[in-house]
Amino acid sequence: MRVRSVLGVLLAAMAVAGLLSLSLPGGTAVAASDPVLAVSGDIACAPGTAPNATRCQQAATGNAVAAIGPDYVLPLGDTQYENGTDGEYAGSYAKTVWGAQKGISRPAAGNHEYRTAGAAPYYGFFGANAGDPVKGYYSWDIRGPDNAFRWHLITLNSECAQLGGGSTTQGCGVGSSQEAWLKADLAANRNVCTIAYWHRPRFSSSTTTPSSTTYVPFWNDLYSAGADIVLNGHAHDYERFAPQTGAGAADAAKGLREFVVGTGGKDFHTMGPPIANSVTSNINAFGVLKLTLHAGSYDWQFVAANGYRYDDSGSGSCHSAPPSDTAPPSAPSGVTASAPTASQANLSWAASSDNVGVKNYNIYRGSSGATPTLLATTTTAATSYPDTTVTAGTSYSYQVQAIDAAGNLSQLSGLASVTIPAAADTTPPTVPTALACEEVDAGEIDIGWTGSTDAGTGVSGYRVYRKDPGQSTFTLLATKPGTGAGHNSHQDLTVKPSSSYQYAVTAYDGAGNESALSLPLTVATPAGPSSRTFMFAPAGDATVDQTNATRNAGTSTALTADNSPVDDFLLKFKVATSGCASLTSATLRLTDNANSSPKGGDVYTTGSNWAEGTVSWSNAPGRGALLNSLGAVAANAVVTVDVTKGTTLDGEANFRVASPANDGIRYWSKEAAAAGNRPQLTVVCATSASAPDTTAPTAPANLTARAASSGEIGLQWTGSSDNVGVTGYAVYRAGARLGEVSADALSYQDTSDVRPGTSYSYTVVAVDAAGNQSPASNTVTITTPGGTGPKTFSFGAAGDATIDATRTSTNAGAGTDLVVDDNPVNDVVLKFTLATTGCTSLTSASLRLTSTANGSARGGDFYATGTSWSEDTVTYATAPARGTPLWSLGAVSPSTTYRVDVTPGVQTLNGEVAFRVGSTSGDGVHYHAKEGGTTGQQPQLTVVCTG
């Protein structure tokens, strides 16, 4: 072995110097002595990244490979960070012994290779040794001296979504092209010692990259065929497991021994407590696993890089394939199918019998009368299967087939059919838009909005939320059932003079799904007239009971509203005011009689033709117009409800209260012993009319224009002020009104017949609720670029990270989410490396971000920032500060892609640019990082430029 080591170092050194080209024929290799493999993954940092004790030790681990002097090198993926580009391979991996030994390397592809489309530089660098670039999986043999024995090696592609068109199951699941190829390859190479290797681990104690069940189909096929060893990387650590099954059960006789070897040099991950069957692990030593293959056995040894210490070594024996068995199991019987929900069908059957034992089952399915085809293969001999891939409202037929350990198949069972019920509507309506103030007075604010849409049960109505002065959150103000004309507005008569309010609106559908809040609208009321307040006790009240239609309950101390049985109650007030010019508000007070309910009742107007001592269900006036609805009411709570629209300054006010809840509500009546528990109507009136608002807003300032392209112009300006409140802005082009935006939108995108090489002039005017218009802003003139065809370039992030003000020295560069929040303060930094050709001037630059399942009322404020930071070291304490403001993003919905104009922050067409994103909202937003989501969800900068 000393000769092999010295020779390996010499050959590696000659190859790095360009004096020797190392290559071996593919297919089957014959070793002069028992063959040796050098194994590791997660290897080379990006060019220019300085090494230290915990990162970028690819040169040291390469020297460990040379010291081993292997017959073959197995790089386990993520060979070159960050994106596996041609330049990164040439500038880092290729300059080490790893690169010098690519001729004897048989690599597996990792996730960082696929950060560049199709992993093209990876396949170009390793050539035919990496297999078919369309697949990335292949197999090969290595033989002992004089062909005395053979080992079979299988390289698999764990980037399943890349192979499956975005579907992990289609890329690696049971029945996928890769899994079917694996079965066939194992069948063709039976009774031979076998190693399989791929990038992402099936089992791992790492908290950064934990175990994944995605690779159970691979493991089960290998286990069934009697394979011996599994090699993985991805977790930046070393970990060895005892032989086990794909389900994680210890199995010394047939189990596969897994080695996780992610110690190739990049850095270290975090290791949690050891999971089941973990024998040893280490996160402090870079190094390489040395495997020596013998006839029917193997030895392993972890070889630490120079300057590091960790020892793990041992030996193992190969398995034999299961004994020959040609007798199939019996066909499953008693197959039944049921559909408990709109998204799942449950199958069950009586177990099959077999001379050796049933291993698992094939599930076949056909829809709408079609012949069943293979749907899935179970991993155990359990006699039930949940099908979660059904479509609501569809009929299916199922058959089951038994499989034994030798792969013998039974006859198909009889058919079992089921119809899946219709799906529940779980999708909320779209968010209401264009929220605007239509009228404002000292005691009244009228708002309106553009209605929502809903593809499921349809929009049922809207909920209006308000944030009062001094409040930090929105509370429900009113529920507005109905849609269409007359339903997209609300009159708020509960406001006070000289006060500022914020409003937001949601839509809800027939299934109870509620949209996100609209963009907020701020309205201030003017100073109002003086007011007077009057309070009235009921002149009469009584419960009316549908099941006892002629019974009078006028003397009861309780008022009941219920839906099972149906009970309503009536209230009568005799209103008499003095010195009033107009009604400001009317509020009904009720006190719960120790009986809580999820619904406090729906309050309607009703007729006056009833008396407390004689009214019953049969003679009571009916429910009139719905005034308001109460939500959940706690026991003994005092509740108030706005009944202004059902009240006059003088005369009777009559109300009827019902409930949609079977768990009814009970309030105290006017017969209650305690006066404070009795119903009360409070009427507030104005003693004089308020003066009309005749003051116009100030003119918008600092209007600027930018040609985003030859067909689009973006405008921005500084907002106006008003004595009551600005409600919107009107945009003019060449003196003609072009469009309007709400008061919170201080920008406008003009795409209306904008032509290349043409000059346009713009002004903006502010408008308040009284219709007063401000003077025009400054005039801005801009010429669109010529129509010779701009060039477009798109760049993935070279680095991104969340920086946390509460953990100022913590680096989160490896995180899969980017978090923007104001409580606690989290900012995001992003860096892009631009490389354009044939361009001399920038037309536009837009930043693409995709939200995760966490939306927000604010998508963030975007700033230019410095580029002197690195993803794997940047913290809140070391990050460059927020620079020039670029853009502000409003409400963000979950799982939605947004583009932000960052043109002013791009000062070069070739070089680095960086952005920092903050937020003024305590309800933060999460975006996919370059380590998270799909390629289409990761951050991207799109640059449009001209020559």
Side-chain angles (χ1 to χ4, degrees):
M1 296 305 296
R2 175 64 180 168
V3 173
R4 179 197 297 276
S5 176
V6 173
L7 179 61
V9 173
L10 176 61
L11 293 177
M14 294 174 66
V16 171
L19 302 176
L20 177 67
S21 174
L22 295 174
S23 63
L24 288 176
T28 301
V30 179
S33 58
D34 283 3
V36 173
L37 308 178
V39 183
S40 196
D42 308 278
I43 300 170
C45 288
T49 308
N52 61 34
T54 61
R55 71 173 189 186
C56 304
Q57 291 295 324
Q58 60 268 19
T61 57
N63 291 336
V65 171
I68 292 171
D71 296 286
Y72 271 85
V73 177
L74 306 189
L76 298 178
D78 285 1
T79 49
Q80 177 62 65
Y81 289 80
E82 293 295 324
N83 302 304
T85 65
D86 288 323
E88 288 172 335
Y89 271 108
S92 186
Y93 190 91
K95 292 184 176 181
T96 69
V97 173
W98 290 102
Q101 303 232 30
K102 73 175 182 178
I104 60 169
S105 295
R106 295 294 182 267
N111 51 299
H112 278 267
E113 282 84 350
Y114 278 98
R115 286 190 177 181
T116 300
Y122 159 79
Y123 289 106
F125 181 82
F126 287 104
N129 288 355
D132 183 348
V134 176
K135 299 175 181 177
Y137 52 88
Y138 57 95
S139 68
W140 53 290
D141 288 343
I142 186 168
R143 296 182 180 273
D146 301 320
N147 289 311
F149 58 88
R150 175 171 73 100
W151 276 72
H152 187 60
L153 290 89
I154 301 172
T155 315
L156 296 172
N157 191 340
S158 63
E159 299 312 296
C160 308
Q162 296 287 341
L163 298 184
S167 167
T168 297
T169 301
Q170 293 297 318
C172 298
V174 173
S176 64
S177 296
Q178 182 171 204
E179 191 267 344
W181 171 87
L182 173 60
K183 279 187 173 180
D185 184 81
L186 289 166
N189 293 275
R190 296 178 63 83
N191 297 309
V192 62
C193 297
T194 301
I195 298 173
Y197 59 101
W198 61 88
H199 180 58
R200 298 177 188 254
R202 164 64 186 98
F203 298 100
S204 171
S205 299
S206 169
T207 58
T208 309
T209 52
S211 302
S212 173
T213 57
T214 299
Y215 310 106
V216 168
F218 292 171
W219 198 286
N220 287 343
D221 291 343
L222 293 163
Y223 178 86
S224 297
D228 304 285
I229 300 172
V230 170
L231 305 172
N232 299 129
H234 195 54
H236 296 189
D237 54 52
Y238 175 83
E239 186 169 18
R240 174 170 57 86
F241 287 86
Q244 56 187 322
T245 68
D251 187 342
K254 293 176 54 181
L256 285 85
R257 176 175 277 121
E258 180 189 33
F259 295 87
V260 179
V261 195
T263 52
K266 175 60 169 65
D267 54 27
F268 296 118
H269 282 173
T270 304
M271 181 71 74
I275 65 173
N277 303 317
S278 175
V279 178
T280 183
S281 63
N282 182 271
I283 56 168
N284 299 308
F286 292 111
V288 182
L289 177 67
K290 174 184 177 182
L291 285 176
T292 305
L293 309 181
H294 310 297
S297 65
Y298 56 94
D299 305 324
W300 73 83
Q301 178 188 358
F302 183 83
V303 179
N306 188 35
Y308 298 88
R309 294 192 62 183
Y310 174 67
D311 296 319
D312 181 45
S313 60
S315 300
S317 298
C318 296
H319 309 132
S320 296
S324 177
D325 173 18
T326 60
S330 64
S333 61
V335 181
T336 62
S338 62
T341 69
S343 60
Q344 182 170 321
N346 289 338
L347 307 182
S348 63
W349 58 91
S352 297
S353 60
D354 185 70
N355 63 317
V356 176
V358 173
K359 177 191 170 193
N360 51 356
Y361 293 89
N362 283 332
I363 311 298
Y364 288 78
R365 186 184 73 185
S367 60
S368 303
T371 300
T373 58
L374 182 63
L375 170 68
T377 300
T378 67
T379 58
T380 70
T383 57
S384 62
Y385 179 78
D387 181 6
T388 58
T389 64
V390 296
T391 300
T394 304
S395 295
Y396 294 96
S397 294
Y398 293 89
Q399 290 178 289
V400 182
Q401 183 181 51
I403 311 169
D404 65 16
N408 299 305
L409 302 177
S410 76
Q411 296 294 315
L412 289 170
S413 71
L415 288 170
S417 299
V418 67
T419 299
I420 309 301
D425 178 9
T426 60
T427 303
T430 60
V431 177
T433 58
L435 182 61
C437 178
E438 298 175 340
E439 183 177 344
V440 62
D441 204 339
E444 177 181 348
I445 295 175
D446 295 351
I447 60 174
W449 56 87
T450 299
S452 301
T453 59
D454 186 78
T457 52
V459 176
S460 294
Y462 298 90
R463 294 189 177 105
V464 180
Y465 294 83
R466 189 178 77 188
K467 188 187 295 183
D468 289 357
Q471 288 185 332
S472 59
T473 58
F474 283 102
T475 56
L476 180 65
L477 175 65
T479 299
K480 311 287 291 184
T483 58
H487 295 279
N488 296 355
S489 61
H490 178 69
Q491 182 184 52
D492 184 4
L493 300 175
T494 65
V495 295
K496 297 178 181 179
S498 303
S499 301
S500 179
Y501 298 89
Q502 271 197 325
Y503 294 88
V505 180
T506 64
Y508 63 91
D509 63 19
N513 302 302
E514 187 173 6
S515 75
L517 288 170
S518 68
L519 289 174
L521 168 70
T522 302
V523 184
T525 55
S530 59
S531 62
R532 302 188 70 187
T533 301
F534 302 85
M535 289 175 283
F536 303 96
D541 57 14
T543 300
V544 291
D545 185 349
Q546 186 182 47
T547 60
N548 294 282
T550 60
R551 184 173 70 90
N552 172 260
T555 60
S556 172
T557 59
L559 299 173
T560 303
D562 203 337
N563 193 47
S564 179
V566 177
D567 287 346
D568 288 6
F569 66 85
L570 291 86
L571 298 126
K572 183 191 293 287
F573 297 89
K574 294 186 180 296
V575 180
T577 63
S578 60
C580 292
S582 61
L583 176 65
T584 301
S585 66
T587 305
L588 175 62
R589 185 193 74 191
L590 297 169
T591 303
D592 181 80
N593 187 351
N595 182 67
S596 63
S597 174
K599 290 291 185 181
D602 299 326
V603 183
Y604 300 85
T605 60
T606 193
S608 61
N609 55 328
W610 63 278
E612 180 183 82
T614 58
V615 70
S616 65
W617 183 275
S618 61
N619 61 25
R623 303 172 186 174
L626 178 66
L627 299 176
N628 225 319
S629 296
L630 285 165
V633 174
N636 303 313
V638 177
V639 296
T640 57
V641 59
D642 182 4
V643 292
T644 307
K645 291 186 177 181
T647 308
T648 62
L649 286 173
D650 293 283
E652 282 193 1
N654 289 269
F655 309 104
R656 182 163 176 163
V657 183
S659 177
N662 293 339
D663 177 12
I665 186 74
R666 185 170 63 243
Y667 297 105
W668 289 102
S669 74
K670 74 181 186 67
E671 283 74 20
N677 288 339
R678 299 167 189 166
Q680 179 179 280
L681 180 67
T682 300
V683 174
V684 179
C685 67
T687 59
S688 61
S690 59
D693 176 16
T694 59
T695 303
T698 62
N702 304 317
L703 177 63
T704 60
R706 181 189 53 75
S709 68
S710 60
E712 180 178 357
I713 294 173
L715 304 177
Q716 283 188 300
W717 59 90
T718 302
S720 302
S721 60
D722 186 69
N723 63 315
V724 178
V726 175
T727 59
Y729 296 90
V731 180
Y732 292 82
R733 188 175 76 185
R737 194 174 179 114
L738 181 63
E740 301 83 25
V741 295
S742 65
D744 292 332
L746 301 179
S747 63
Y748 184 84
Q749 297 298 119
D750 182 12
T751 58
S752 176
D753 195 29
V754 176
R755 301 182 180 183
T758 305
S759 294
Y760 297 92
S761 296
Y762 297 89
T763 57
V764 177
V765 171
V767 182
D768 66 15
N772 301 306
Q773 292 194 3
S774 76
S777 69
N778 59 293
T779 300
V780 64
T781 301
I782 190 169
T783 302
T784 56
T788 58
K791 296 183 178 182
T792 301
F793 300 86
S794 294
F795 305 95
D800 58 15
T802 300
I803 52 177
D804 188 341
T806 65
R807 296 184 294 175
T808 58
S809 60
T810 299
N811 171 260
T816 60
D817 280 15
L818 301 174
V819 182
V820 183
D821 205 338
D822 189 49
N823 186 19
V825 174
N826 281 188
D827 283 11
V828 164
V829 288
L830 303 107
K831 183 189 296 186
F832 297 86
T833 302
L834 276 57
T836 66
T837 56
C839 285
T840 58
S841 62
L842 175 68
T843 301
S844 68
S846 62
L847 173 62
R848 182 190 74 189
L849 294 173
T850 302
S851 58
T852 66
N854 181 58
S856 174
R858 298 289 295 175
D861 301 318
F862 293 74
Y863 304 86
T865 195
T867 59
S868 57
W869 56 273
S870 173
E871 176 185 81
D872 52 1
T873 59
V874 67
T875 65
Y876 197 94
T878 63
R882 301 175 182 178
T884 304
L886 304 175
W887 199 261
S888 292
L889 189 59
V892 172
S893 299
S895 303
T896 305
T897 298
Y898 294 88
R899 288 192 177 274
V900 177
D901 184 358
V902 294
T903 306
V906 177
Q907 301 297 317
T908 180
L909 291 172
N910 292 280
E912 289 187 336
V913 296
F915 309 101
R916 181 164 173 165
V917 188
S919 179
T920 58
S921 172
D923 175 20
V925 63
H926 290 229
Y927 296 106
H928 287 292
K930 71 184 185 69
E931 288 80 9
T934 64
T935 301
Q937 294 173 324
Q938 294 163 0
Q940 182 184 79
L941 182 65
T942 298
V943 172
V944 179
C945 56
T946 57

